[in-house]
């Protein structure tokens, strides 16, 4: 029986220690959901271990197959450029397949909704509540379009309205979307951060939510996010195993 490829979770990293703490908590949950799967964490910047350092350590141990999973919600610059560049510099003996980013996924919508309920909303509030889907933001048009699509999809599940907002690079800002939902006549306005871990941009989202009635927590180490990680891992590892007749 062949060993499973190692899952390498690639996070961006941050000067804010809460970011790495949330990443490690998520990885612990993934390990608990898939006993026997080796899961490692590497950071692109600010935190250790670095992605390159983890890859070199794995190669030195004799590991041959790795699924590199970007801990990102959209396919923007990091997924398209930064991560592939780092993986190209990996030791040649490693066979690496880059998994897809986490979003979009129905599981992530479930996680967002659960965070809102944890923050005080109830299912009967749904039809009278306008939601701001607040993401970090990007200069990549594809990533911005995906957030808009998610907002439309989520609105069709029964919310009064759902508006996308961005903490950087794109407009509208969270406070603008909150104001729009007020003007639209939603009885309650809630802000759902579509981000994985605390940090500078999530803090900006929180400041922009000052005029809202409800502010949910970031997605963090929620079970839905962990399940998406495992789905992306399984989708990436299948062709690796098939190629060698496993």
């Amino acid at each position: 029986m062949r060993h499973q490829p190692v899952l390498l979770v690639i996070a961006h990293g941050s000067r804010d220690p809460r970011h790495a703490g949330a990443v490690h908590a998520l990885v612990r949950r993934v390990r608990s959901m898939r006993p026997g799967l080796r899961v490692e964490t590497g950071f692109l910047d600010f935190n250790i271990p670095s992605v390159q350092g983890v890859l070199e350590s794995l190669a030195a141990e004799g590991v041959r197959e790795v699924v590199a999973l970007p801990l990102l919600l959209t396919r923007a610059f990091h997924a398209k450029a930064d991560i592939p560049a780092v993986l190209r510099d990996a030791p040649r003996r490693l066979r690496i397949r880059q998994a897809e980013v986490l979003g979009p996924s129905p599981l992530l919508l479930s996680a967002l909704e659960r965070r809102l309920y944890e923050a005080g909303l109830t299912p009967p509030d749904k039809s009278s509540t306008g939601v701001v889907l607040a993401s970090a933001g990007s200069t990549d048009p594809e990533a911005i379009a995906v957030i808009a699509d998610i907002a439309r999809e989520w609105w069709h599940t029964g919310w009064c309205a759902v508006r996308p907002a961005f903490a950087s690079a794109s407009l509208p800002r969270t406070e603008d979307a909150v104001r729009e939902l007020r003007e639209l006549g939603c009885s309650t306005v809630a802000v759902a951060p579509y981000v994985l871990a605390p940090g500078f941009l999530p803090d900006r989202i929180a400041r922009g939510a000052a005029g809202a009635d409800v502010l949910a927590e970031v997605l963090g180490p929620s079970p839905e996010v962990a399940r998406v990680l495992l789905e992306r891992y399984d989708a990436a590892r299948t062709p690796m195993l098939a190629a060698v007749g496993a």
Side-chain angles (χ1 to χ4, degrees):
M1 177 71 68
R2 287 175 52 81
H3 291 294
Q4 299 181 87
V6 171
L7 170 55
L8 172 58
V9 176
I10 300 179
H12 181 272
S14 172
R15 292 186 178 90
D16 189 321
R18 296 174 297 167
H19 174 88
V23 171
H24 290 310
L26 176 59
V27 168
R28 286 194 297 271
R29 184 179 285 276
V30 172
R31 289 182 181 132
S32 71
M33 293 172 67
R34 186 72 62 87
L37 172 62
R38 181 171 179 181
V39 187
E40 299 292 342
T41 308
F43 295 91
L44 292 172
D45 206 354
F46 302 115
N47 302 105
I48 55 174
S50 67
V51 176
Q52 187 66 27
V54 174
L55 292 171
E56 290 173 358
S57 295
L58 291 173
E61 289 180 32
V63 171
R64 291 294 177 265
E65 294 176 344
V66 175
V67 169
L69 195 155
L71 197 60
L72 301 167
L73 293 171
T74 58
R75 265 184 57 78
F77 181 79
H78 294 305
K80 295 177 179 178
D82 280 355
I83 292 174
V86 172
L87 298 181
R88 282 195 295 271
D89 289 337
R92 293 185 178 274
R93 69 193 71 175
L94 289 175
R95 186 163 170 258
I96 304 173
R97 185 174 180 87
Q98 182 175 328
E100 291 296 328
V101 298
L102 302 184
S105 167
L107 285 169
L108 296 178
L109 286 181
S110 296
L112 286 166
E113 203 151 306
R114 188 163 60 80
R115 288 293 191 232
L116 286 171
Y117 294 148
E118 289 170 352
L121 291 180
T122 64
D125 297 326
K126 197 168 183 177
S127 62
S128 61
T129 299
V131 179
V132 179
L133 179 68
S135 75
S138 173
T139 57
D140 189 306
E142 178 187 350
I144 297 304
V146 166
I147 298 300
D149 287 344
I150 293 170
R152 282 191 293 271
E153 179 182 349
W154 204 15
W155 170 57
H156 287 302
T157 67
W159 296 100
C160 173
V162 179
R163 294 291 186 270
F166 308 94
S168 68
S170 308
L171 296 174
R173 294 288 184 257
T174 303
E175 53 268 34
D176 299 325
V178 168
R179 190 178 309 112
E180 180 184 351
L181 290 172
R182 290 281 186 215
E183 294 171 354
L184 191 63
C186 298
S187 299
T188 303
V189 176
V191 175
Y194 190 58
V195 292
L196 289 167
F200 176 75
L201 292 179
D203 284 350
R204 181 179 289 177
I205 289 171
R207 291 193 295 272
D213 303 296
V214 174
L215 171 62
E217 293 292 327
V218 300
L219 294 173
S222 64
E224 296 91 347
V225 176
R227 285 174 59 194
V228 177
L229 260 73
L230 289 171
E231 286 185 355
R232 299 292 185 257
Y233 169 79
D234 288 337
R237 71 185 282 268
T238 299
M240 297 179 74
L241 296 179
V244 294

